[in-house]
Each structure stands twice: as structure tokens, then as C-alpha cells.
């Protein structure tokens, strides 16, 4: 089979992290399950940058066990 005959369709998995950008989330890490709460500032293929109460935190995606959206009350505005 030549290169031209091979299928070129890429399989794409559902992407939910872009929908969470700018939202407050609770992330549990695989090492001990420590919870980290913060706002997703940016992300790439390997990392997520969170803005936490103590500053920015870079979390590697392979170290994440779960991600939960933290429900904020209506009219809530985080202090910047």
C-alpha cells in the first residue's frame, strides 16, 4: 500500500479542558490524592496552568487523577 492509499483520518478524543478554561476547578493528583483548587489559566498537550490562592501552579496532566468544576454561587466574583 503506497502512502497515498493509506487512510489519513486522525482520531480525535473529546476535549473537555478547553471548556473549563477560566472556570474554578478542583484537581486531585494521583500521588496521594491531594486536592488543588484554582482557576484554569491556560493549558497545552502536557500541562495545565492554574491560578490558585497562593499563586500560579503548573500541573502535569499525567499526574491528574480527577478534575471537578467547583460550583460558585451566582454573582460570585473572585478577588483578583
Amino acid at each position: 500500500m503506497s502512502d497515498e492509499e493509506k487512510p489519513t483520518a486522525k482520531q480525535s478524543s473529546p476535549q473537555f479542558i478547553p471548556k473549563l478554561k477560566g472556570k474554578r476547578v478542583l484537581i486531585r493528583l494521583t500521588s496521594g490524592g491531594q486536592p488543588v483548587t484554582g482557576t484554569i489559566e491556560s493549558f497545552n498537550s502536557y500541562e495545565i496552568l492554574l491560578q490558585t490562592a497562593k499563586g500560579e501552579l503548573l500541573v502535569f496532566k499525567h499526574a491528574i487523577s480527577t478534575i471537578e468544576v467547583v460550583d460558585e454561587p451566582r454573582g460570585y466574583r473572585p478577588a483578583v
Side-chain angles (χ1 to χ4, degrees):
M1 188 182 278
S2 70
D3 288 338
E4 294 174 10
E5 295 173 353
K6 291 181 182 177
T8 58
K10 280 185 164 182
Q11 286 184 338
S12 64
S13 59
Q15 299 295 316
F16 62 92
I17 294 177
K19 296 176 186 174
L20 299 178
K21 186 173 179 185
K23 293 190 178 179
R24 193 162 172 77
V25 296
L26 174 78
I27 294 178
R28 291 199 183 273
L29 304 176
T30 56
S31 59
Q34 301 96 337
V36 178
T37 303
T39 304
I40 296 180
E41 294 294 318
S42 64
F43 58 91
N44 62 28
S45 299
Y46 305 104
E47 311 159 329
I48 297 177
L49 182 65
L50 288 176
Q51 181 64 45
T52 67
K54 294 184 178 183
E56 291 183 336
L57 180 67
L58 185 68
V59 180
F60 289 100
K61 287 182 177 179
H62 72 269
I64 296 174
S65 172
T66 62
I67 298 177
E68 303 173 38
V69 176
V70 177
D71 294 326
E72 297 171 342
R74 284 203 167 179
Y76 174 80
R77 293 187 186 256
V80 177

